[in-house]
Amino acid sequence: LSLRMSMSEKSTATVNQSDQVIGFIGLGKIGYALARNIITKSSTNDKTTTQTAIHYDINEEISTQFAKEIPQSKAASSPEEVASSCDVLFTALPNDAILLSAVFGPSKKEEESGGIHNALRPSSIHVSCSTVSPTTSRIIASAHAKRSIGFVAAPIFARPDGLALGHATIPLSSSHPPLLAQIQPLLQRTATKVQPFEEKDAGAANVVKLAGNFLIASAIESMSEAFALVEQQGLNREAVHTLFSETIFDCLIYKGYGQRVATRDHAP
């Protein structure tokens, strides 16, 4: 397969996207939609589709279901099998601890590492789509670089239903920026906007994701306070939401989350 990479700043990898094997670890609500879109769709700037893929989920039933739905992808028996078989590995795992455990094994430490870190081939690229701390991405990137493995952070802004439709926003970062141009076409298959950040910081995209999450949480809080105010004064909170979301707050966050807040479609 035509993927060769030196981690020196002057070198770039060459990826033939029609030949590469792509791996996926984590097929939860986000990971399932991500993997399905990357395997089966093409983007505006990428007219090929991935012919060969391999996947793993801790839930064997989900892994089997995915293989039936997407016959181009083989179900693996372990994360390490996926990592050792692919040129580009996407992980979509729920938090820092689970991601570090998958990468380094139960110890979560590089010096005692097992996990996919040791299974990945030199010249392969690991793309982490998890919402984790910037420090976690920097730790993984540093360890991978010692084995000539690339790392890209690509946390996803999207609800699962939106991601399934390809309506995601994805910031990208890497300590080796040439990797970003290689991964961007794959992620464009499942996103409306993929934004590389060229700061040579593996954790930069995670900073963007955390900042965005803060803005989303702040918007939800402000909407909750506003709708409580109008309701206390005898107004219909849903009618107020409709006014705002169709005029001065006509955007995704205020429409989607605002509707749920206005109708109390949430728990607790």
Side-chain angles (χ1 to χ4, degrees):
L1 295 174
S2 55
L3 176 61
R4 298 291 181 269
M5 179 181 68
S6 167
M7 295 309 295
S8 70
E9 291 302 321
K10 295 183 180 179
S11 300
T12 59
T14 301
V15 178
N16 184 337
Q17 292 186 358
S18 63
D19 294 339
Q20 68 185 345
V21 177
I22 299 186
F24 300 90
I25 296 174
L27 297 175
K29 292 180 179 180
I30 292 294
Y32 199 105
L34 174 77
R36 180 175 56 201
N37 287 349
I38 288 177
I39 294 169
T40 62
K41 295 184 178 182
S42 63
S43 71
T44 302
N45 300 318
D46 167 28
K47 300 301 183 183
T48 65
T49 55
T50 303
Q51 299 301 309
T52 307
I54 184 169
H55 64 270
Y56 173 83
D57 190 86
I58 194 171
N59 185 325
E60 187 175 347
E61 291 183 7
I62 292 177
S63 189
T64 300
Q65 174 187 329
F66 188 84
K68 289 180 179 178
E69 181 181 347
I70 311 294
Q72 302 99 308
S73 190
K74 170 192 171 184
S77 60
S78 69
E80 290 77 15
E81 181 184 353
V82 176
S84 65
S85 303
C86 65
D87 302 292
V88 178
L89 172 65
F90 288 87
T91 56
L93 300 170
N95 57 45
D96 296 68
I98 292 174
L99 176 59
L100 288 170
S101 181
V103 172
F104 297 127
S107 72
K108 306 182 182 68
K109 297 178 180 179
E110 176 188 354
E111 58 269 20
E112 303 173 22
S113 64
I116 63 174
H117 173 65
N118 281 351
L120 283 162
R121 301 193 300 254
S123 79
S124 60
I125 303 172
H126 173 197
V127 184
S128 170
C129 297
S130 300
T131 297
V132 294
S133 76
T135 299
T136 292
S137 287
R138 292 164 186 151
I139 288 170
I140 295 171
S142 176
H144 282 354
K146 295 172 185 176
R147 296 194 59 240
S148 296
I149 299 164
F151 178 83
V152 174
I156 296 171
F157 285 106
R159 289 168 51 84
D161 54 348
L163 180 60
L165 296 172
H167 298 165
T169 298
I170 306 177
L172 300 182
S173 63
S174 176
S175 56
H176 188 67
L179 298 178
L180 303 179
Q182 299 176 50
I183 299 305
Q184 187 169 357
L186 292 172
L187 288 171
Q188 284 173 332
R189 299 178 183 182
T190 193
T192 52
K193 178 68 174 180
V194 179
Q195 178 64 56
F197 288 84
E198 305 285 350
E199 281 76 4
K200 296 185 180 180
D201 176 6
N206 301 108
V207 175
V208 174
K209 181 64 188 327
L210 295 175
N213 282 2
F214 175 78
L215 291 173
I216 292 169
S218 298
I220 292 171
E221 169 64 20
S222 65
M223 287 186 286
S224 300
E225 296 283 355
F227 296 152
L229 168 64
V230 299
E231 186 175 52
Q232 191 273 335
Q233 293 295 316
L235 281 75
N236 184 311
R237 59 194 284 142
E238 294 182 43
V240 172
H241 167 259
T242 299
L243 170 65
F244 287 157
S245 64
E246 291 180 355
T247 55
I248 58 176
F249 295 106
D250 183 6
C251 68
L252 177 65
I253 297 303
Y254 283 93
K255 282 181 174 290
Y257 287 106
Q259 176 66 24
R260 297 183 67 185
V261 172
T263 61
R264 294 187 172 88
D265 179 19
H266 55 80

